[in-house]
Amino acid sequence: MDAREFQARSDLNPGTLEIWLESGWLRPALREGVWHYFEIDVARAQLIGDLQHDLGINDEGIPVVLNLIDQVGGLRHVLQAIVRALRAQPDLVRREIVEACVAQGRS
C-alpha cells in the first residue's frame, strides 16, 4: 500500500508519519524511492500509538520497547525453525534432544 492508504488505515497525520520514519520506528520497504507499506506496518503503527497513549510510554522509551518486541519476534522465528528441524528427526533423536534440554534446565 502507498503512504496515503497507510495513513488512512493507521490514522496517522503526515507529520507524525514523517517523524516515525525518521526515528526508525516504522520501517516500510523503499523501492525506487517510494515507500511501500504492509499490514505489519499498520500493526506496528497501532502498537506505537497504544504504547504512547494507552501505556504512557514517552518518546525515549518507544525505541526500547520496539527493540524488545523485535527481539522476541526474531526469537520466535528461530524457535519455529528449531521445532521444524526437530520434527524432521527420528523419534530417538528427538527424545535424546528433549532429555538433554531437560538435564540442562536442571543444572
Side-chain angles (χ1 to χ4, degrees):
M1 75 186 79
D2 64 13
R4 186 173 300 157
E5 182 180 352
F6 173 77
Q7 287 174 331
R9 296 205 40 217
S10 63
D11 200 27
L12 284 180
N13 67 55
T16 300
L17 176 57
E18 185 175 330
I19 291 168
W20 289 8
L21 289 170
E22 289 173 1
S23 69
W25 296 359
L26 293 175
R27 297 175 295 215
L30 183 61
R31 292 189 211 131
E32 300 177 8
V34 178
W35 294 113
H36 294 272
Y37 297 86
F38 300 91
E39 293 299 321
I40 191 72
D41 300 308
V42 174
R44 191 173 180 95
Q46 291 170 342
L47 170 65
I48 294 167
D50 290 346
L51 292 171
Q52 289 180 323
H53 303 294
D54 296 346
L55 299 177
I57 296 177
N58 63 25
D59 288 353
E60 292 77 27
I62 296 291
V64 173
V65 174
L66 292 176
N67 181 271
L68 292 170
I69 290 170
D70 292 342
Q71 287 182 40
V72 169
L75 289 171
R76 288 185 67 211
H77 287 292
V78 169
L79 287 173
Q80 288 169 348
I82 291 170
V83 167
R84 284 192 301 274
L86 282 172
R87 287 183 178 150
Q89 299 303 312
D91 287 343
L92 178 61
V93 172
R94 285 196 309 249
R95 278 194 296 267
E96 289 174 354
I97 291 171
V98 168
E99 289 171 7
C101 289
V102 169
Q104 287 291 322
R106 292 183 187 148
S107 57

